[in-house]
Amino acid sequence: THESLVAPMSPQMSFEEAASLPVILCTALGVMDHVKLEGKNVLIHASAGGVGISATTLARRFYGANRIFGTCSSYEKRRISSKFGCSL
């Protein structure tokens, strides 16, 4: 594995959580590569979960989305979702 593809694991993260990150990110990337988001408003369902947070971050930072709206099922998840940049 090339060193540019490796990042240190957070001390608060379990090995299981760290192992799941590539799957979560690849799922979000797989969707983002099929749509043109630059300058558009975006709706992300389940925006407080792993894929939702990844999709929010990618849409804003790398795909140029204008405004991102998120859906979630609880007030606690709304707090998490807004922390990562979703309008609720």
Side-chain angles (χ1 to χ4, degrees), residues 50-86:
V51 175
I53 291 169
S54 294
T56 300
T57 303
L58 289 169
R60 181 170 313 287
R61 294 189 181 175
F62 299 105
Y63 289 88
N66 180 42
R67 192 163 178 197
I68 301 169
F69 298 93
T71 66
C72 43
S73 61
S74 71
Y75 287 109
E76 176 61 21
K77 290 181 180 181
R78 287 178 65 170
R79 187 187 63 75
I80 293 167
S81 186
S82 63
K83 175 182 171 186
F84 286 93
C86 278

PDB file of all heavy atoms in Angstrom, residues 50-86:
ATOM      1  N   GLY A  50     -23.316   7.539   8.402  1.00  0.00           N
ATOM      2  CA  GLY A  50     -21.990   7.569   7.789  1.00  0.00           C
ATOM      3  C   GLY A  50     -22.002   7.976   6.331  1.00  0.00           C
ATOM      4  O   GLY A  50     -21.242   8.860   5.906  1.00  0.00           O
ATOM      5  N   VAL A  51     -22.867   7.367   5.536  1.00  0.00           N
ATOM      6  CA  VAL A  51     -22.942   7.705   4.114  1.00  0.00           C
ATOM      7  C   VAL A  51     -23.495   9.120   3.939  1.00  0.00           C
ATOM      8  O   VAL A  51     -23.008   9.882   3.101  1.00  0.00           O
ATOM      9  CB  VAL A  51     -23.792   6.675   3.335  1.00  0.00           C
ATOM     10  CG1 VAL A  51     -23.980   7.098   1.890  1.00  0.00           C
ATOM     11  CG2 VAL A  51     -23.146   5.298   3.407  1.00  0.00           C
ATOM     12  N   GLY A  52     -24.479   9.500   4.745  1.00  0.00           N
ATOM     13  CA  GLY A  52     -25.049  10.847   4.657  1.00  0.00           C
ATOM     14  C   GLY A  52     -24.036  11.934   4.987  1.00  0.00           C
ATOM     15  O   GLY A  52     -23.949  12.949   4.291  1.00  0.00           O
ATOM     16  N   ILE A  53     -23.253  11.731   6.029  1.00  0.00           N
ATOM     17  CA  ILE A  53     -22.223  12.701   6.390  1.00  0.00           C
ATOM     18  C   ILE A  53     -21.163  12.777   5.299  1.00  0.00           C
ATOM     19  O   ILE A  53     -20.724  13.857   4.912  1.00  0.00           O
ATOM     20  CB  ILE A  53     -21.596  12.353   7.755  1.00  0.00           C
ATOM     21  CG1 ILE A  53     -22.612  12.590   8.859  1.00  0.00           C
ATOM     22  CG2 ILE A  53     -20.326  13.154   8.006  1.00  0.00           C
ATOM     23  CD1 ILE A  53     -22.195  12.031  10.217  1.00  0.00           C
ATOM     24  N   SER A  54     -20.776  11.618   4.772  1.00  0.00           N
ATOM     25  CA  SER A  54     -19.790  11.607   3.680  1.00  0.00           C
ATOM     26  C   SER A  54     -20.333  12.306   2.445  1.00  0.00           C
ATOM     27  O   SER A  54     -19.631  13.098   1.808  1.00  0.00           O
ATOM     28  CB  SER A  54     -19.399  10.165   3.323  1.00  0.00           C
ATOM     29  OG  SER A  54     -18.712   9.560   4.386  1.00  0.00           O
ATOM     30  N   ALA A  55     -21.592  12.034   2.104  1.00  0.00           N
ATOM     31  CA  ALA A  55     -22.202  12.666   0.940  1.00  0.00           C
ATOM     32  C   ALA A  55     -22.303  14.181   1.122  1.00  0.00           C
ATOM     33  O   ALA A  55     -22.043  14.947   0.188  1.00  0.00           O
ATOM     34  CB  ALA A  55     -23.583  12.067   0.679  1.00  0.00           C
ATOM     35  N   THR A  56     -22.650  14.626   2.320  1.00  0.00           N
ATOM     36  CA  THR A  56     -22.729  16.056   2.610  1.00  0.00           C
ATOM     37  C   THR A  56     -21.374  16.720   2.432  1.00  0.00           C
ATOM     38  O   THR A  56     -21.243  17.760   1.779  1.00  0.00           O
ATOM     39  CB  THR A  56     -23.238  16.290   4.050  1.00  0.00           C
ATOM     40  OG1 THR A  56     -24.537  15.716   4.182  1.00  0.00           O
ATOM     41  CG2 THR A  56     -23.284  17.758   4.394  1.00  0.00           C
ATOM     42  N   THR A  57     -20.351  16.116   3.000  1.00  0.00           N
ATOM     43  CA  THR A  57     -18.997  16.664   2.908  1.00  0.00           C
ATOM     44  C   THR A  57     -18.512  16.700   1.471  1.00  0.00           C
ATOM     45  O   THR A  57     -17.965  17.708   1.006  1.00  0.00           O
ATOM     46  CB  THR A  57     -18.034  15.837   3.782  1.00  0.00           C
ATOM     47  OG1 THR A  57     -18.531  15.829   5.120  1.00  0.00           O
ATOM     48  CG2 THR A  57     -16.636  16.411   3.756  1.00  0.00           C
ATOM     49  N   LEU A  58     -18.715  15.623   0.738  1.00  0.00           N
ATOM     50  CA  LEU A  58     -18.283  15.574  -0.658  1.00  0.00           C
ATOM     51  C   LEU A  58     -19.033  16.595  -1.504  1.00  0.00           C
ATOM     52  O   LEU A  58     -18.428  17.295  -2.328  1.00  0.00           O
ATOM     53  CB  LEU A  58     -18.499  14.174  -1.233  1.00  0.00           C
ATOM     54  CG  LEU A  58     -17.576  13.084  -0.716  1.00  0.00           C
ATOM     55  CD1 LEU A  58     -18.078  11.708  -1.170  1.00  0.00           C
ATOM     56  CD2 LEU A  58     -16.148  13.309  -1.201  1.00  0.00           C
ATOM     57  N   ALA A  59     -20.352  16.667  -1.316  1.00  0.00           N
ATOM     58  CA  ALA A  59     -21.162  17.596  -2.117  1.00  0.00           C
ATOM     59  C   ALA A  59     -20.708  19.029  -1.915  1.00  0.00           C
ATOM     60  O   ALA A  59     -20.606  19.804  -2.867  1.00  0.00           O
ATOM     61  CB  ALA A  59     -22.641  17.453  -1.748  1.00  0.00           C
ATOM     62  N   ARG A  60     -20.410  19.388  -0.693  1.00  0.00           N
ATOM     63  CA  ARG A  60     -20.025  20.763  -0.387  1.00  0.00           C
ATOM     64  C   ARG A  60     -18.591  21.058  -0.809  1.00  0.00           C
ATOM     65  O   ARG A  60     -18.311  22.046  -1.464  1.00  0.00           O
ATOM     66  CB  ARG A  60     -20.184  21.047   1.104  1.00  0.00           C
ATOM     67  CG  ARG A  60     -19.831  22.470   1.469  1.00  0.00           C
ATOM     68  CD  ARG A  60     -20.195  22.874   2.876  1.00  0.00           C
ATOM     69  NE  ARG A  60     -21.523  22.534   3.323  1.00  0.00           N
ATOM     70  CZ  ARG A  60     -22.652  23.134   2.935  1.00  0.00           C
ATOM     71  NH1 ARG A  60     -22.598  24.104   2.068  1.00  0.00           N
ATOM     72  NH2 ARG A  60     -23.816  22.771   3.411  1.00  0.00           N
ATOM     73  N   ARG A  61     -17.667  20.211  -0.423  1.00  0.00           N
ATOM     74  CA  ARG A  61     -16.247  20.523  -0.607  1.00  0.00           C
ATOM     75  C   ARG A  61     -15.683  20.183  -1.974  1.00  0.00           C
ATOM     76  O   ARG A  61     -14.764  20.849  -2.439  1.00  0.00           O
ATOM     77  CB  ARG A  61     -15.420  19.819   0.457  1.00  0.00           C
ATOM     78  CG  ARG A  61     -15.702  20.342   1.841  1.00  0.00           C
ATOM     79  CD  ARG A  61     -14.734  19.795   2.837  1.00  0.00           C
ATOM     80  NE  ARG A  61     -15.057  20.303   4.164  1.00  0.00           N
ATOM     81  CZ  ARG A  61     -14.449  19.921   5.251  1.00  0.00           C
ATOM     82  NH1 ARG A  61     -13.487  19.038   5.185  1.00  0.00           N
ATOM     83  NH2 ARG A  61     -14.794  20.417   6.416  1.00  0.00           N
ATOM     84  N   PHE A  62     -16.194  19.137  -2.599  1.00  0.00           N
ATOM     85  CA  PHE A  62     -15.574  18.677  -3.838  1.00  0.00           C
ATOM     86  C   PHE A  62     -16.474  18.762  -5.072  1.00  0.00           C
ATOM     87  O   PHE A  62     -15.988  18.744  -6.187  1.00  0.00           O
ATOM     88  CB  PHE A  62     -15.068  17.235  -3.679  1.00  0.00           C
ATOM     89  CG  PHE A  62     -14.040  17.107  -2.604  1.00  0.00           C
ATOM     90  CD1 PHE A  62     -14.362  16.539  -1.388  1.00  0.00           C
ATOM     91  CD2 PHE A  62     -12.748  17.581  -2.790  1.00  0.00           C
ATOM     92  CE1 PHE A  62     -13.414  16.433  -0.382  1.00  0.00           C
ATOM     93  CE2 PHE A  62     -11.799  17.479  -1.798  1.00  0.00           C
ATOM     94  CZ  PHE A  62     -12.132  16.906  -0.585  1.00  0.00           C
ATOM     95  N   TYR A  63     -17.790  18.836  -4.870  1.00  0.00           N
ATOM     96  CA  TYR A  63     -18.693  18.836  -6.015  1.00  0.00           C
ATOM     97  C   TYR A  63     -19.438  20.152  -6.195  1.00  0.00           C
ATOM     98  O   TYR A  63     -20.264  20.286  -7.080  1.00  0.00           O
ATOM     99  CB  TYR A  63     -19.676  17.666  -5.915  1.00  0.00           C
ATOM    100  CG  TYR A  63     -19.000  16.336  -6.151  1.00  0.00           C
ATOM    101  CD1 TYR A  63     -18.424  15.628  -5.115  1.00  0.00           C
ATOM    102  CD2 TYR A  63     -18.902  15.809  -7.432  1.00  0.00           C
ATOM    103  CE1 TYR A  63     -17.784  14.423  -5.332  1.00  0.00           C
ATOM    104  CE2 TYR A  63     -18.263  14.610  -7.668  1.00  0.00           C
ATOM    105  CZ  TYR A  63     -17.705  13.916  -6.615  1.00  0.00           C
ATOM    106  OH  TYR A  63     -17.073  12.733  -6.834  1.00  0.00           O
ATOM    107  N   GLY A  64     -19.174  21.141  -5.345  1.00  0.00           N
ATOM    108  CA  GLY A  64     -19.694  22.487  -5.539  1.00  0.00           C
ATOM    109  C   GLY A  64     -21.182  22.673  -5.344  1.00  0.00           C
ATOM    110  O   GLY A  64     -21.775  23.575  -5.944  1.00  0.00           O
ATOM    111  N   ALA A  65     -21.803  21.860  -4.513  1.00  0.00           N
ATOM    112  CA  ALA A  65     -23.237  22.024  -4.259  1.00  0.00           C
ATOM    113  C   ALA A  65     -23.498  23.377  -3.613  1.00  0.00           C
ATOM    114  O   ALA A  65     -22.698  23.863  -2.815  1.00  0.00           O
ATOM    115  CB  ALA A  65     -23.755  20.907  -3.367  1.00  0.00           C
ATOM    116  N   ASN A  66     -24.615  23.985  -3.968  1.00  0.00           N
ATOM    117  CA  ASN A  66     -24.978  25.296  -3.444  1.00  0.00           C
ATOM    118  C   ASN A  66     -25.450  25.194  -1.998  1.00  0.00           C
ATOM    119  O   ASN A  66     -24.857  25.765  -1.102  1.00  0.00           O
ATOM    120  CB  ASN A  66     -26.062  25.914  -4.330  1.00  0.00           C
ATOM    121  CG  ASN A  66     -26.487  27.276  -3.853  1.00  0.00           C
ATOM    122  OD1 ASN A  66     -25.666  28.088  -3.459  1.00  0.00           O
ATOM    123  ND2 ASN A  66     -27.783  27.530  -3.873  1.00  0.00           N
ATOM    124  N   ARG A  67     -26.528  24.479  -1.785  1.00  0.00           N
ATOM    125  CA  ARG A  67     -27.107  24.317  -0.452  1.00  0.00           C
ATOM    126  C   ARG A  67     -27.493  22.853  -0.284  1.00  0.00           C
ATOM    127  O   ARG A  67     -27.988  22.227  -1.214  1.00  0.00           O
ATOM    128  CB  ARG A  67     -28.336  25.199  -0.313  1.00  0.00           C
ATOM    129  CG  ARG A  67     -28.831  25.317   1.085  1.00  0.00           C
ATOM    130  CD  ARG A  67     -29.764  26.480   1.229  1.00  0.00           C
ATOM    131  NE  ARG A  67     -30.258  26.527   2.611  1.00  0.00           N
ATOM    132  CZ  ARG A  67     -31.309  27.199   2.976  1.00  0.00           C
ATOM    133  NH1 ARG A  67     -31.986  27.903   2.096  1.00  0.00           N
ATOM    134  NH2 ARG A  67     -31.700  27.196   4.229  1.00  0.00           N
ATOM    135  N   ILE A  68     -27.258  22.320   0.903  1.00  0.00           N
ATOM    136  CA  ILE A  68     -27.524  20.905   1.147  1.00  0.00           C
ATOM    137  C   ILE A  68     -28.589  20.781   2.231  1.00  0.00           C
ATOM    138  O   ILE A  68     -28.442  21.310   3.331  1.00  0.00           O
ATOM    139  CB  ILE A  68     -26.236  20.181   1.568  1.00  0.00           C
ATOM    140  CG1 ILE A  68     -25.184  20.334   0.473  1.00  0.00           C
ATOM    141  CG2 ILE A  68     -26.519  18.706   1.843  1.00  0.00           C
ATOM    142  CD1 ILE A  68     -23.808  19.894   0.858  1.00  0.00           C
ATOM    143  N   PHE A  69     -29.651  20.095   1.904  1.00  0.00           N
ATOM    144  CA  PHE A  69     -30.735  19.818   2.840  1.00  0.00           C
ATOM    145  C   PHE A  69     -30.628  18.357   3.253  1.00  0.00           C
ATOM    146  O   PHE A  69     -30.314  17.505   2.432  1.00  0.00           O
ATOM    147  CB  PHE A  69     -32.101  20.064   2.188  1.00  0.00           C
ATOM    148  CG  PHE A  69     -32.292  21.494   1.771  1.00  0.00           C
ATOM    149  CD1 PHE A  69     -31.972  21.896   0.489  1.00  0.00           C
ATOM    150  CD2 PHE A  69     -32.782  22.426   2.669  1.00  0.00           C
ATOM    151  CE1 PHE A  69     -32.135  23.207   0.095  1.00  0.00           C
ATOM    152  CE2 PHE A  69     -32.948  23.748   2.285  1.00  0.00           C
ATOM    153  CZ  PHE A  69     -32.629  24.136   1.004  1.00  0.00           C
ATOM    154  N   GLY A  70     -30.877  18.078   4.516  1.00  0.00           N
ATOM    155  CA  GLY A  70     -30.793  16.709   5.002  1.00  0.00           C
ATOM    156  C   GLY A  70     -32.057  16.280   5.714  1.00  0.00           C
ATOM    157  O   GLY A  70     -32.745  17.101   6.316  1.00  0.00           O
ATOM    158  N   THR A  71     -32.349  14.994   5.626  1.00  0.00           N
ATOM    159  CA  THR A  71     -33.450  14.415   6.394  1.00  0.00           C
ATOM    160  C   THR A  71     -32.864  13.483   7.447  1.00  0.00           C
ATOM    161  O   THR A  71     -31.827  12.871   7.240  1.00  0.00           O
ATOM    162  CB  THR A  71     -34.422  13.619   5.507  1.00  0.00           C
ATOM    163  OG1 THR A  71     -33.747  12.471   4.971  1.00  0.00           O
ATOM    164  CG2 THR A  71     -34.970  14.462   4.374  1.00  0.00           C
ATOM    165  N   CYS A  72     -33.537  13.421   8.603  1.00  0.00           N
ATOM    166  CA  CYS A  72     -33.117  12.493   9.653  1.00  0.00           C
ATOM    167  C   CYS A  72     -34.313  12.227  10.560  1.00  0.00           C
ATOM    168  O   CYS A  72     -35.336  12.888  10.458  1.00  0.00           O
ATOM    169  CB  CYS A  72     -31.909  13.004  10.410  1.00  0.00           C
ATOM    170  SG  CYS A  72     -31.938  14.728  10.827  1.00  0.00           S
ATOM    171  N   SER A  73     -34.137  11.279  11.457  1.00  0.00           N
ATOM    172  CA  SER A  73     -35.286  10.773  12.217  1.00  0.00           C
ATOM    173  C   SER A  73     -35.402  11.254  13.654  1.00  0.00           C
ATOM    174  O   SER A  73     -36.346  10.872  14.341  1.00  0.00           O
ATOM    175  CB  SER A  73     -35.252   9.247  12.202  1.00  0.00           C
ATOM    176  OG  SER A  73     -34.057   8.794  12.816  1.00  0.00           O
ATOM    177  N   SER A  74     -34.474  12.059  14.134  1.00  0.00           N
ATOM    178  CA  SER A  74     -34.572  12.515  15.523  1.00  0.00           C
ATOM    179  C   SER A  74     -33.885  13.866  15.685  1.00  0.00           C
ATOM    180  O   SER A  74     -33.109  14.292  14.835  1.00  0.00           O
ATOM    181  CB  SER A  74     -33.944  11.503  16.471  1.00  0.00           C
ATOM    182  OG  SER A  74     -32.537  11.499  16.332  1.00  0.00           O
ATOM    183  N   TYR A  75     -34.168  14.515  16.822  1.00  0.00           N
ATOM    184  CA  TYR A  75     -33.541  15.807  17.095  1.00  0.00           C
ATOM    185  C   TYR A  75     -32.032  15.664  17.275  1.00  0.00           C
ATOM    186  O   TYR A  75     -31.277  16.531  16.858  1.00  0.00           O
ATOM    187  CB  TYR A  75     -34.168  16.469  18.323  1.00  0.00           C
ATOM    188  CG  TYR A  75     -35.551  16.994  18.036  1.00  0.00           C
ATOM    189  CD1 TYR A  75     -36.667  16.387  18.580  1.00  0.00           C
ATOM    190  CD2 TYR A  75     -35.730  18.085  17.186  1.00  0.00           C
ATOM    191  CE1 TYR A  75     -37.939  16.858  18.299  1.00  0.00           C
ATOM    192  CE2 TYR A  75     -36.996  18.567  16.897  1.00  0.00           C
ATOM    193  CZ  TYR A  75     -38.093  17.949  17.452  1.00  0.00           C
ATOM    194  OH  TYR A  75     -39.342  18.415  17.175  1.00  0.00           O
ATOM    195  N   GLU A  76     -31.588  14.590  17.890  1.00  0.00           N
ATOM    196  CA  GLU A  76     -30.154  14.364  18.053  1.00  0.00           C
ATOM    197  C   GLU A  76     -29.472  14.215  16.693  1.00  0.00           C
ATOM    198  O   GLU A  76     -28.396  14.764  16.450  1.00  0.00           O
ATOM    199  CB  GLU A  76     -29.900  13.112  18.906  1.00  0.00           C
ATOM    200  CG  GLU A  76     -28.437  12.754  19.057  1.00  0.00           C
ATOM    201  CD  GLU A  76     -27.585  13.831  19.740  1.00  0.00           C
ATOM    202  OE1 GLU A  76     -28.140  14.681  20.447  1.00  0.00           O
ATOM    203  OE2 GLU A  76     -26.363  13.819  19.550  1.00  0.00           O
ATOM    204  N   LYS A  77     -30.108  13.494  15.788  1.00  0.00           N
ATOM    205  CA  LYS A  77     -29.546  13.334  14.442  1.00  0.00           C
ATOM    206  C   LYS A  77     -29.581  14.650  13.669  1.00  0.00           C
ATOM    207  O   LYS A  77     -28.702  14.910  12.854  1.00  0.00           O
ATOM    208  CB  LYS A  77     -30.277  12.224  13.692  1.00  0.00           C
ATOM    209  CG  LYS A  77     -29.953  10.855  14.264  1.00  0.00           C
ATOM    210  CD  LYS A  77     -30.667   9.754  13.511  1.00  0.00           C
ATOM    211  CE  LYS A  77     -30.324   8.407  14.118  1.00  0.00           C
ATOM    212  NZ  LYS A  77     -30.972   7.304  13.406  1.00  0.00           N
ATOM    213  N   ARG A  78     -30.579  15.479  13.933  1.00  0.00           N
ATOM    214  CA  ARG A  78     -30.618  16.810  13.306  1.00  0.00           C
ATOM    215  C   ARG A  78     -29.405  17.627  13.726  1.00  0.00           C
ATOM    216  O   ARG A  78     -28.797  18.329  12.927  1.00  0.00           O
ATOM    217  CB  ARG A  78     -31.887  17.558  13.695  1.00  0.00           C
ATOM    218  CG  ARG A  78     -33.126  17.039  13.022  1.00  0.00           C
ATOM    219  CD  ARG A  78     -34.344  17.781  13.475  1.00  0.00           C
ATOM    220  NE  ARG A  78     -34.257  19.180  13.054  1.00  0.00           N
ATOM    221  CZ  ARG A  78     -35.248  20.035  13.143  1.00  0.00           C
ATOM    222  NH1 ARG A  78     -36.399  19.671  13.653  1.00  0.00           N
ATOM    223  NH2 ARG A  78     -35.086  21.281  12.740  1.00  0.00           N
ATOM    224  N   ARG A  79     -29.051  17.539  15.010  1.00  0.00           N
ATOM    225  CA  ARG A  79     -27.883  18.262  15.522  1.00  0.00           C
ATOM    226  C   ARG A  79     -26.616  17.781  14.815  1.00  0.00           C
ATOM    227  O   ARG A  79     -25.796  18.584  14.383  1.00  0.00           O
ATOM    228  CB  ARG A  79     -27.772  18.057  17.031  1.00  0.00           C
ATOM    229  CG  ARG A  79     -26.695  18.903  17.682  1.00  0.00           C
ATOM    230  CD  ARG A  79     -26.489  18.545  19.140  1.00  0.00           C
ATOM    231  NE  ARG A  79     -26.018  17.182  19.337  1.00  0.00           N
ATOM    232  CZ  ARG A  79     -24.775  16.772  19.093  1.00  0.00           C
ATOM    233  NH1 ARG A  79     -23.881  17.596  18.623  1.00  0.00           N
ATOM    234  NH2 ARG A  79     -24.427  15.529  19.311  1.00  0.00           N
ATOM    235  N   ILE A  80     -26.474  16.484  14.679  1.00  0.00           N
ATOM    236  CA  ILE A  80     -25.301  15.911  14.004  1.00  0.00           C
ATOM    237  C   ILE A  80     -25.267  16.362  12.544  1.00  0.00           C
ATOM    238  O   ILE A  80     -24.244  16.803  12.025  1.00  0.00           O
ATOM    239  CB  ILE A  80     -25.311  14.382  14.098  1.00  0.00           C
ATOM    240  CG1 ILE A  80     -25.126  13.941  15.549  1.00  0.00           C
ATOM    241  CG2 ILE A  80     -24.260  13.758  13.188  1.00  0.00           C
ATOM    242  CD1 ILE A  80     -25.420  12.486  15.803  1.00  0.00           C
ATOM    243  N   SER A  81     -26.402  16.252  11.872  1.00  0.00           N
ATOM    244  CA  SER A  81     -26.477  16.606  10.462  1.00  0.00           C
ATOM    245  C   SER A  81     -26.142  18.077  10.219  1.00  0.00           C
ATOM    246  O   SER A  81     -25.390  18.407   9.304  1.00  0.00           O
ATOM    247  CB  SER A  81     -27.890  16.289   9.953  1.00  0.00           C
ATOM    248  OG  SER A  81     -27.966  16.480   8.577  1.00  0.00           O
ATOM    249  N   SER A  82     -26.671  18.955  11.063  1.00  0.00           N
ATOM    250  CA  SER A  82     -26.378  20.382  10.875  1.00  0.00           C
ATOM    251  C   SER A  82     -24.914  20.695  11.184  1.00  0.00           C
ATOM    252  O   SER A  82     -24.331  21.594  10.591  1.00  0.00           O
ATOM    253  CB  SER A  82     -27.324  21.244  11.692  1.00  0.00           C
ATOM    254  OG  SER A  82     -27.151  21.000  13.066  1.00  0.00           O
ATOM    255  N   LYS A  83     -24.322  19.953  12.104  1.00  0.00           N
ATOM    256  CA  LYS A  83     -22.899  20.135  12.423  1.00  0.00           C
ATOM    257  C   LYS A  83     -22.029  19.921  11.183  1.00  0.00           C
ATOM    258  O   LYS A  83     -21.009  20.571  11.010  1.00  0.00           O
ATOM    259  CB  LYS A  83     -22.502  19.159  13.533  1.00  0.00           C
ATOM    260  CG  LYS A  83     -21.050  19.158  13.885  1.00  0.00           C
ATOM    261  CD  LYS A  83     -20.765  18.118  14.960  1.00  0.00           C
ATOM    262  CE  LYS A  83     -19.281  17.950  15.163  1.00  0.00           C
ATOM    263  NZ  LYS A  83     -18.986  16.864  16.092  1.00  0.00           N
ATOM    264  N   PHE A  84     -22.456  19.015  10.310  1.00  0.00           N
ATOM    265  CA  PHE A  84     -21.697  18.725   9.096  1.00  0.00           C
ATOM    266  C   PHE A  84     -22.143  19.541   7.888  1.00  0.00           C
ATOM    267  O   PHE A  84     -21.686  19.308   6.779  1.00  0.00           O
ATOM    268  CB  PHE A  84     -21.734  17.223   8.800  1.00  0.00           C
ATOM    269  CG  PHE A  84     -20.868  16.432   9.731  1.00  0.00           C
ATOM    270  CD1 PHE A  84     -21.394  15.884  10.873  1.00  0.00           C
ATOM    271  CD2 PHE A  84     -19.519  16.298   9.487  1.00  0.00           C
ATOM    272  CE1 PHE A  84     -20.596  15.171  11.758  1.00  0.00           C
ATOM    273  CE2 PHE A  84     -18.702  15.600  10.361  1.00  0.00           C
ATOM    274  CZ  PHE A  84     -19.245  15.031  11.502  1.00  0.00           C
ATOM    275  N   GLY A  85     -23.063  20.492   8.091  1.00  0.00           N
ATOM    276  CA  GLY A  85     -23.383  21.429   7.034  1.00  0.00           C
ATOM    277  C   GLY A  85     -24.720  21.297   6.350  1.00  0.00           C
ATOM    278  O   GLY A  85     -24.968  21.971   5.353  1.00  0.00           O
ATOM    279  N   CYS A  86     -25.602  20.471   6.865  1.00  0.00           N
ATOM    280  CA  CYS A  86     -26.940  20.346   6.262  1.00  0.00           C
ATOM    281  C   CYS A  86     -27.890  21.404   6.818  1.00  0.00           C
ATOM    282  O   CYS A  86     -27.847  21.726   8.002  1.00  0.00           O
ATOM    283  CB  CYS A  86     -27.544  18.980   6.551  1.00  0.00           C
ATOM    284  SG  CYS A  86     -26.979  17.693   5.458  1.00  0.00           S
TER     285      CYS A  86
END
